[in-house]
Amino acid sequence: MPAASDSKPLTPARRWMFGLATLTIPVLFFVLLEAGLRLGGYGHDYPLFITVTDAPGYLQANQEVVRRFVVEETREPEVAIWPVAFPAHKAPETLRIFVQGGSTAAGWPYGFGASLAGMLQQRLQASLPQRNIEVISTAMTAVNSYTLMDFADEIIAQQPDAVLIYAGHNEYLGVLGVGSAVSAGRTRPVVLTYLALRDLRILQLLKHAYMGLSAQESPAEDRAHSGPTLMRRIVGEPHIALDSKLYHRGLAQFHDNLTVLLKRYRDAGIPVYIGTLASNEKDLPPFASLLSERTDVTAWRRHFEKGVAALRRGDTDLAGTSFAAALALDDGAASVHFALGRLYETQSNYSVARLAYLDARDRDQLRFRAPQSFNRIIRAVAAEQEAQVVDIEASFLDHAVDRIIGNELMLEHLHPNLWGYFLLADAYYQALLDDDIPGPEVQVFSREQAWDVLPVTAVDLKKADYEIMRLTADWPFQREPAQPQYPVSDSEIEQLAYSLFTRKTTWSNATEQLQAYYLQQQDTRAAARVGVLLADTYPFDTERQYQSAQLARDAGLDEDAARLLRRASLVSE
């Protein structure tokens, strides 16, 4: 006979205990692993603001905060916030304003002086000479609404009197965008989950393991002036068609993130000023113009090329007929809408021409410029969340030739030239004054006065030229990228600018050398203005405040001298 079994059926209590153990043991393993990694010092948190090394009472933007959002952590980040210092504790009577956005809000390619924060810092300080003004930028290249939303609580903790936002062009291809190569997922719930868990050391360990497995050996390159631009490397989806699934996912992402962002500020009682978006409409053809798979390509090209040839000859009637025939075959090709814009401009029909250019921009499938829908979203969400809209697009149109934005205001596809940046800052300045944010004691600093004393040096201007040369020599501006030949003479300014461009020196070192050059040339006023910029960048440096104040006084810049002396006395107390 078979032996009787000694096993007994599990009681409900024991079955429950075994089930609980099955669930608990893996959780306990990960909890212990996370604790062990943290105790061992593995990983980082990357706060938005960190203490200034040489000035414990001051904070500045963390130069590595972008590592929150990207996988690669092995080399120095190319994307960083300009590190202007500000007091950790907000003093009474201080007007403190924060700026959020991407590369345009950051002032690229000129630097902080041309940025929204830099220009407003100077202009508001001139308008309120007796008050302490702090305009602090958290803007950086290639980021979108996920980054802005992620920074909001840390900005609120710094007690801002207002927050200024100019963002939207990076929504599709910027970091974590739906078409970006720097992605945590293509859907918003996945990205939000990643952001919620990003500080877990286990997740950081997995990221590093992934990078180790996927890394490819490549020669080291100085990406400051050679190799592919960030614009080329960040693209994951080069073709996002109008009304496609990814297109609408980008709209929803922008709308939902912007809603969360503005609601946080509204709930905290902080006024928000958000700008409408502007970009080059007439002087930059679409990057990517594609036809539908169902289109008769041969017939479409015949009509389109016939229209282009007719337009070149000045035969506007034939050009219009040919373009209409091309549109009838495929309305989605951006290039024919752009050609229609050219045709209407030729006929001096500028309002219709602009509509055609906007239609071309909307159909450009390489989405480095925000479509028209984004300005509608900005207005709608701002109205819902009680934010103030600053109409940057309208300001640019008012100063554009024939009210179509082009190269008179833009450097390439969307970054303003120096005049464009001035208009951007001017629009926010007027909005702040209209709402009495600076207070009743403000002394209006006019456009003419502000333009005469822009906080941008000759080195900044020349370095910007090199940046634009490098960007526009690469894809998508050129089909075949080329290494530009940078014209660098023996002049002190060009030498300094090139060293700054190639990252062989820092902005502070280059600017200090520029000041020394002006003093050598006995240009006291120029040297004093540079000294004021350096003093404002390092407000904790008492000796620099006194030295710059003395130089400003010698140059007749009495208000700047008095302000720097007042700051020096407060810092030394």
Side-chain angles (χ1 to χ4, degrees):
M1 294 180 63
S5 174
D6 294 331
S7 62
K8 297 180 181 180
L10 291 176
T11 65
R14 294 184 69 185
R15 189 179 297 113
W16 181 85
M17 290 178 64
F18 276 117
L20 181 63
T22 303
L23 293 173
T24 302
I25 289 173
V27 172
L28 183 60
F29 169 78
F30 285 111
V31 168
L32 292 174
L33 177 59
E34 177 71 16
L37 290 171
R38 287 179 180 268
L39 288 172
Y42 183 85
H44 301 277
D45 290 330
Y46 302 118
L48 175 57
F49 302 111
I50 57 175
T51 301
V52 177
T53 304
D54 299 328
Y58 284 79
L59 299 175
Q60 68 178 28
N62 185 354
Q63 294 295 278
E64 299 202 342
V65 72
V66 72
R67 296 195 193 280
R68 285 186 184 183
F69 313 105
V70 300
V71 172
E72 185 175 358
E73 300 192 18
T74 56
R75 59 185 176 84
E76 180 182 352
E78 291 181 77
V79 177
I81 302 170
W82 195 274
V84 174
F86 63 97
H89 299 289
K90 183 180 176 184
E93 300 302 315
T94 292
L95 178 63
R96 178 174 285 185
I97 296 172
F98 279 85
V99 173
Q100 288 194 273
S103 56
T104 300
W108 193 91
Y110 300 100
F112 182 77
S115 72
L116 184 53
M119 287 197 179
L120 279 177
Q121 170 73 43
Q122 184 196 55
R123 197 166 178 185
L124 286 170
Q125 190 65 76
S127 302
L128 296 159
Q130 302 304 316
R131 288 186 66 184
N132 185 39
I133 307 299
E134 297 167 1
V135 186
I136 303 152
S137 179
T138 63
M140 57 181 171
T141 300
V143 300
N144 58 29
S145 61
Y146 281 119
T147 300
L148 274 61
M149 184 175 61
D150 200 59
F151 288 169
D153 289 340
E154 290 164 282
I155 290 174
I156 291 170
Q158 299 304 324
Q159 301 176 290
D161 295 293
V163 172
L164 315 182
I165 299 171
Y166 184 82
H169 287 305
N170 295 334
E171 204 61 30
Y172 285 96
L173 301 179
V175 174
L176 303 181
V178 297
S180 177
V182 184
S183 174
R186 289 287 184 255
T187 64
R188 188 168 180 267
V190 171
V191 177
L192 292 178
T193 300
Y194 167 78
L195 292 175
L197 300 177
R198 58 145 192 267
D199 288 339
L200 289 177
R201 301 311 191 251
I202 294 173
L203 182 60
Q204 294 181 26
L205 180 65
L206 291 173
K207 287 199 307 181
H208 292 161
Y210 169 78
M211 287 302 300
L213 290 172
S214 62
Q216 297 180 354
E217 292 187 6
S218 60
E221 60 185 9
D222 179 3
R223 284 178 174 168
H225 66 287
S226 64
T229 61
L230 178 62
M231 193 171 174
R232 171 149 56 119
R233 286 182 284 114
I234 205 168
V235 174
E237 293 285 348
H239 302 137
I240 301 177
L242 185 68
D243 288 332
S244 66
K245 184 180 295 184
L246 271 185
Y247 175 83
H248 285 287
R249 194 175 290 168
L251 295 183
Q253 169 187 295
F254 186 59
H255 175 276
D256 294 347
N257 288 351
L258 196 61
T259 299
V260 171
L261 176 69
L262 298 191
K263 185 178 186 303
R264 285 184 187 171
Y265 289 130
R266 187 194 68 182
D267 292 347
I270 298 169
V272 173
Y273 294 80
I274 182 167
T276 57
L277 301 169
S279 61
N280 199 331
E281 298 167 355
K282 68 179 178 183
D283 290 324
L284 188 114
F287 288 125
S289 177
L290 278 73
L291 297 172
S292 167
E293 295 178 354
R294 299 184 298 274
T295 301
D296 183 338
V297 176
T298 302
W300 186 93
R301 284 180 178 170
R302 183 173 64 252
H303 291 304
F304 178 68
E305 290 170 3
K306 185 177 180 180
V308 170
L311 185 57
R312 287 173 180 165
R313 296 193 307 269
D315 188 344
T316 56
D317 289 339
L318 179 58
T321 301
S322 300
F323 292 146
L327 279 176
L329 290 173
D330 193 328
D331 178 64
S335 55
V336 70
H337 291 277
F338 192 81
L340 278 169
R342 285 280 186 264
L343 170 63
Y344 295 136
E345 263 199 287
T346 301
Q347 298 170 331
S348 299
N349 194 348
Y350 300 116
S351 59
V352 177
R354 180 170 187 261
L355 293 177
Y357 285 130
L358 294 180
D359 285 340
R361 187 184 66 187
D362 282 359
R363 288 162 176 77
D364 186 348
Q365 294 191 25
L366 184 55
R367 297 207 172 273
F368 279 118
R369 294 176 293 176
Q372 298 177 68
S373 301
F374 274 46
N375 279 342
R376 291 193 285 271
I377 290 173
I378 287 170
R379 293 182 187 280
V381 176
E384 293 169 2
Q385 302 301 326
E386 301 175 6
Q388 179 68 41
V389 173
V390 182
D391 203 340
I392 301 301
E393 183 184 42
S395 177
F396 276 41
L397 288 173
D398 288 343
H399 292 85
V401 176
D402 301 321
R403 291 187 60 81
I404 309 174
I405 300 170
N407 288 344
E408 69 278 4
L409 293 171
M410 295 290 174
L411 292 169
E412 15 70 352
H413 60 307
L414 58 81
H415 295 104
N417 57 25
L418 196 60
W419 174 236
Y421 272 118
F422 180 81
L423 294 176
L424 181 77
D426 178 70
Y428 281 92
Y429 175 78
Q430 298 298 334
L432 292 170
L433 261 59
D434 289 345
D435 284 357
D436 204 28
I437 294 296
E441 70 274 25
V442 66
Q443 303 170 18
V444 176
F445 199 61
S446 70
R447 274 186 180 176
E448 292 73 22
Q449 290 173 298
W451 178 253
D452 190 49
V453 292
L454 289 177
V456 181
T457 72
V459 169
D460 296 332
L461 291 173
K462 191 61 188 176
K463 185 250 187 184
D465 290 342
Y466 297 143
E467 294 282 8
I468 291 298
M469 286 180 65
R470 184 195 172 215
L471 183 73
T472 56
D474 201 352
W475 180 90
F477 299 95
Q478 307 295 334
R479 289 185 178 180
E480 296 296 330
Q483 179 64 34
Q485 299 300 310
Y486 303 106
V488 185
S489 71
D490 292 333
S491 77
E492 184 76 11
I493 288 173
E494 289 195 6
Q495 290 290 329
L496 288 172
Y498 191 69
S499 293
L500 182 58
F501 167 63
T502 55
R503 298 188 182 181
K504 293 177 181 176
T505 190
T506 63
W507 178 85
S508 58
N509 287 338
T511 307
E512 286 170 351
Q513 291 181 62
L514 178 63
Q515 184 184 41
Y517 169 74
Y518 284 142
L519 288 172
Q520 185 182 35
Q521 299 296 311
Q522 298 183 345
D523 190 342
T524 306
R525 188 174 182 83
R529 287 180 58 184
V530 171
V532 170
L533 294 181
L534 286 165
D536 285 339
T537 303
Y538 303 100
F540 53 84
D541 189 335
T542 306
E543 184 178 351
R544 192 185 293 273
Q545 307 305 310
Y546 281 124
Q547 290 175 349
S548 297
Q550 182 60 55
L551 194 56
R553 182 179 291 166
D554 293 343
L557 305 177
D558 295 335
E559 287 190 353
D560 285 319
R563 175 171 62 83
L564 298 183
L565 287 173
R566 186 166 60 251
R567 179 193 287 158
S569 64
L570 290 172
V571 171
S572 39
E573 286 180 358

